Amino acid sequence: MSEHHITPLKTYLVIAGALFCLTAITVWVSYFDFGSLNIIIAMGVATFKATLVALFFMHLLWDDKKNLTMFIMSLMFLGIFITITLLDTGFRGGVNPEVEYPINKRAAFYDSLPLTDTHGNPVDEHGTDSHEGDEDHH
Amino acid sequence: MSHDNSSPDFLQHHFHDVDQQYETAKLGMWAFILTEVLTFGGLFVAYVVYRSWYPEMFVGANLLLDVNKGLLNTIVLITSSLTMVLAVWAIQQKKQKLSLFMLIATFLFAFMFLGIKYLEYSHKFEVGQLPGEYYSYMGPEIAHLNNPHIFFSIYFIMTGLHGLHVAIGMGLIAWLIYATAKGNLHSKYYTPMEMIGIFWHLVDLIWIYLFPLFYLI
């Protein structure tokens, strides 16, 4: 019987360290606004982290390549799923502008929702000021 | 220790040898991971489509999530992935006790993840940041946004299904703790531990995407 590959302990610790660093980086850059690049940077870092997890923690790097093939196939089908769906939902307006955002109208139940404070309690616009005034005396 | 591999007690009769049994289990596990990717895939498609329809609302609504709790959960889950992989590493080297310790650590980190998730969920229930028609939060920072209840529908379904996977993973790890303590898993046969490890890393891998999608961008 051929022995299974045993990864050195150091490899696992280095990969975990890299995952922590990349997490810190992705949180740190989220405080800057790069416009539309925000999504690309965040997804790029996430994909790099996911690759490390799949190759090293899930042992795909040392496995029979049929397992890696299957995993990549699932991601390819996910890509097809997203692309084909967006080809519909993203270009409806090209056929008929009226159906471009068929559900973009505000849902009706918002009309009956009262405004709330940050704790979710309803506020009536005149009452808030006096309440805040009370707290100042403490 | 006997090196006679012709018929060890863990080799099932329908397999040719131990290697074939191991590779077959692994192929089956990856087939399962494929279905898991596609299960979550449907929800990722929902996220992408609704984000493309409501870009401003998504950017506004994600500010209502607590980045610190999300970051803490990311650290907890990556650490649990490390302890899981070290449990497999330890049992490969015949370090049963270390393996057991790492499994228990993984279980506790998973429990911690769900605990933090519970704090997040209970806060959202309190303030009314709920899916669909149960949504009632109209705080000053979000009252102008269009249909934030859709963000919270997707948030609860995706993190909820992920949380369910964590809970199932905890059950599987608890069984691994039992099997390892009893001596049923050892350096010659640890297939269930490696397979559950792959499942657990998938749970980590999905969270690696959920964290930036909901908390950061």
Side-chain angles (χ1 to χ4, degrees):
Chain A
M1 175 191 163
S2 62
E3 287 297 316
H4 299 155
H5 176 89
I6 296 179
T7 314
L9 176 62
K10 201 179 147 196
T11 309
Y12 289 139
L13 296 178
V14 167
I15 295 301
L19 290 173
F20 287 129
C21 290
L22 289 165
T23 304
I25 288 170
T26 191
V27 172
W28 179 62
V29 297
S30 75
Y31 288 103
F32 302 94
D33 190 9
F34 300 105
S36 58
L37 279 178
N38 284 346
I39 296 177
I40 295 169
I41 293 170
M43 287 301 97
V45 174
T47 301
F48 188 50
K49 284 166 74 183
T51 309
L52 291 180
V53 170
L55 287 182
F56 293 94
F57 283 1
M58 293 166 119
H59 294 147
L60 280 178
L61 189 60
W62 303 286
D63 259 4
D64 190 307
K65 290 293 174 276
K66 67 179 181 295
N67 296 334
L68 179 61
T69 311
M70 257 169 106
F71 186 51
I72 291 174
M73 291 278 279
S74 75
L75 299 177
M76 277 169 55
F77 277 101
L78 178 57
I80 293 170
F81 193 178
I82 291 176
T83 311
I84 303 281
T85 310
L86 282 179
L87 282 177
D88 169 15
T89 61
F91 296 96
R92 286 180 181 177
V95 182
N96 178 358
E98 284 183 13
V99 297
E100 184 166 10
Y101 297 111
I103 52 166
N104 209 14
K105 291 198 183 85
R106 198 166 216 206
F109 75 88
Y110 281 94
D111 298 337
S112 58
L113 283 183
L115 291 176
T116 65
D117 59 16
T118 52
H119 301 292
N121 302 316
V123 286
D124 98 83
E125 276 133 60
H126 306 289
T128 358
D129 289 350
S130 61
H131 180 66
E132 279 170 6
D134 286 342
E135 286 192 341
D136 287 342
H137 294 296
H138 291 298
Chain B
M1 185 164 291
S2 161
H3 285 278
D4 175 25
N5 287 316
S6 56
S7 60
D9 55 355
F10 54 83
L11 177 62
Q12 292 176 322
H13 68 88
H14 47 276
F15 289 110
H16 192 64
D17 55 26
V18 172
D19 272 353
Q20 194 211 0
Q21 175 171 282
Y22 174 79
E23 287 300 328
T24 307
K26 221 166 195 187
L27 183 64
M29 192 65 208
W30 278 102
F32 171 67
I33 297 293
L34 186 149
T35 67
E36 285 282 82
V37 169
L38 294 179
T39 304
F40 277 94
L43 297 171
F44 279 107
V45 170
Y47 179 96
V48 171
V49 167
Y50 278 100
R51 193 175 172 117
S52 76
W53 272 336
Y54 300 96
E56 299 89 11
M57 184 273 281
F58 268 71
V59 171
N62 83 34
L63 298 177
L64 296 177
L65 299 185
D66 187 342
V67 180
N68 291 331
K69 288 207 184 79
L71 175 61
L72 191 59
N73 258 349
T74 306
I75 293 168
V76 165
L77 214 50
I78 290 176
T79 313
S80 81
S81 240
L82 176 66
T83 55
M84 185 75 226
V85 90
L86 291 182
V88 176
W89 174 83
I91 204 157
Q92 285 175 330
Q93 323 245 352
K94 304 192 176 106
K95 295 173 178 160
Q96 306 274 124
K97 277 214 175 107
L98 181 62
S99 184
L100 197 58
F101 173 77
M102 287 298 171
L103 287 175
I104 292 169
T106 310
F107 185 87
L108 292 178
F109 282 124
F111 187 75
M112 203 190 284
F113 179 91
L114 287 183
I116 295 166
K117 208 77 223 154
Y118 169 78
L119 293 179
E120 280 192 88
Y121 277 1
S122 54
H123 174 256
K124 291 200 166 32
F125 273 78
E126 233 167 70
V127 300
Q129 293 163 354
L130 292 171
E133 60 179 311
Y134 303 104
Y135 186 87
S136 67
Y137 182 77
M138 290 290 273
E141 70 277 54
I142 203 169
H144 64 286
L145 292 174
N146 199 8
N147 290 337
H149 67 287
I150 293 176
F151 177 87
F152 286 99
S153 298
I154 297 174
Y155 166 81
F156 271 99
I157 293 285
M158 290 190 87
T159 59
L161 184 63
H162 179 266
L164 180 67
H165 278 75
V166 174
I168 291 170
M170 279 177 75
L172 294 170
I173 293 164
W175 174 75
L176 281 180
I177 292 171
Y178 167 77
T180 310
K182 231 184 140 201
N184 293 349
L185 302 179
H186 44 78
S187 66
K188 294 278 167 207
Y189 178 70
Y190 54 84
T191 310
M193 196 188 289
E194 183 156 1
M195 300 310 135
I196 291 168
I198 291 174
F199 174 78
W200 192 250
H201 301 311
L202 177 82
V203 171
D204 184 26
L205 202 148
I206 288 165
W207 183 258
I208 282 174
Y209 281 99
L210 293 185
F211 172 58
L213 284 177
F214 285 112
Y215 293 83
L216 298 181
I217 56 174

